[in-house]
């Protein structure tokens, strides 16, 4: 085997080994704008209100539309979707209302939670409207408190807690 080809093969194998080791260690890269882009690490912290989490999105019409439009990419979640990162803004016994005005938790309107009528390319967005619902043990409200234009519960609704993979913390963001 010629030397340049050997160098390329060895470099490629090393790269794949590093990526695999990082993935097994719970390292994830966020390329979306819902939270700062960067490198995050999955943790064993409790999954509770206020936690930043990585999860598989529900397979519903809003998620299918998001995938078709490129808001979310391909990945390893059911339906072939990529993982998403959001914060748990409401959990068990919280009262949640999602409307055209925004998202309220226990009667308080969350800042920057008003859903957009159209995406940045002018395409109409599906909206979730939920009368006041009291969350049970299984449901959580996942949203971004970082980006007001995030694709979150305003569009895809409540998520079953079983879809959460882990809490996650930033290691290096840019």
């Amino acid at each position: 085997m010629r030397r340049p080809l050997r160098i390329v093969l060895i470099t490629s194998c090393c790269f794949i080994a590093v990526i695999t080791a990082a993935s097994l260690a719970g390292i994830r890269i966020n390329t979306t704008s819902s939270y700062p882009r960067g490198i995050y690490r999955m943790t064993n912290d409790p999954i509770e209100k206020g936690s930043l989490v990585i999860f598989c999105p529900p397979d519903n019409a809003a998620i299918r539309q998001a995938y078709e439009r490129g808001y979310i990419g391909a990945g390893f979640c059911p339906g072939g979707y990529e993982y998403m990162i959001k914060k748990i803004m409401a959990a068990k016994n919280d009262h949640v209302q999602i409307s055209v005005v925004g998202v309220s938790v226990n009667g308080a309107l969350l800042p920057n939670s008003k859903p957009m009528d159209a995406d940045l390319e002018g395409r109409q967005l599906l909206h979730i409207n939920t009368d006041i619902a009291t969350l049970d043990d299984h449901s959580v409200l996942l949203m971004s408190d970082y980006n007001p234009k995030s694709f979150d519960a305003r569009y895809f609704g409540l998520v079953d807690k079983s879809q959460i993979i882990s809490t996650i913390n930033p290691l290096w963001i840019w």
Side-chain angles (χ1 to χ4, degrees):
M1 191 179 318
R2 288 189 259 171
R3 183 174 168 92
L5 181 57
R6 190 175 331 156
I7 291 171
V8 168
L9 285 174
I10 291 170
T11 303
S12 297
C13 288
C14 289
F15 179 75
I16 290 169
V18 166
I19 296 298
T20 301
S23 180
L24 292 173
I27 303 297
R28 299 294 183 264
I29 297 174
N30 178 36
T31 60
T32 71
S33 61
S34 287
Y35 280 93
R37 288 176 174 86
I39 299 172
Y40 288 72
R41 183 179 58 84
M42 295 182 351
T43 73
N44 291 323
D45 294 343
I47 296 170
E48 59 192 10
K49 188 173 175 178
S51 298
L52 190 63
V53 297
I54 186 169
F55 69 101
C56 285
D59 189 11
N60 61 27
I63 294 295
R64 288 189 291 277
Q65 181 183 69
Y67 179 74
E68 290 166 7
R69 292 182 177 182
Y71 309 156
I72 60 173
F76 300 106
C77 290
Y81 308 121
E82 71 180 339
Y83 303 117
M84 296 176 74
I85 297 173
K86 304 290 179 218
K87 186 176 277 187
I88 299 176
M89 303 300 278
K92 184 180 179 183
N93 295 327
D94 283 329
H95 304 285
V96 173
Q97 182 176 21
I98 304 172
S99 70
V100 295
V101 174
V103 180
S104 295
V105 176
N106 299 324
L109 186 64
L110 298 177
N112 299 315
S113 66
K114 184 180 190 310
M116 299 186 311
D117 292 324
D119 66 12
L120 300 177
E121 294 183 21
R123 299 173 292 192
Q124 184 178 7
L125 288 166
L126 297 174
H127 290 164
I128 296 290
N129 284 308
T130 302
D131 289 333
I132 297 175
T134 301
L135 301 188
D136 59 20
D137 256 349
H138 306 289
S139 299
V140 290
L141 177 76
L142 299 175
M143 296 188 60
S144 173
D145 59 352
Y146 176 77
N147 183 348
K149 295 180 182 173
S150 175
F151 181 74
D152 55 27
R154 293 172 276 188
Y155 309 104
F156 58 73
L158 301 172
V159 171
D160 192 284
K161 200 173 180 181
S162 68
Q163 292 173 253
I164 296 174
I165 297 161
S166 173
T167 55
I168 194 162
N169 289 323
L171 288 176
W172 185 48
I173 56 175
W174 56 84

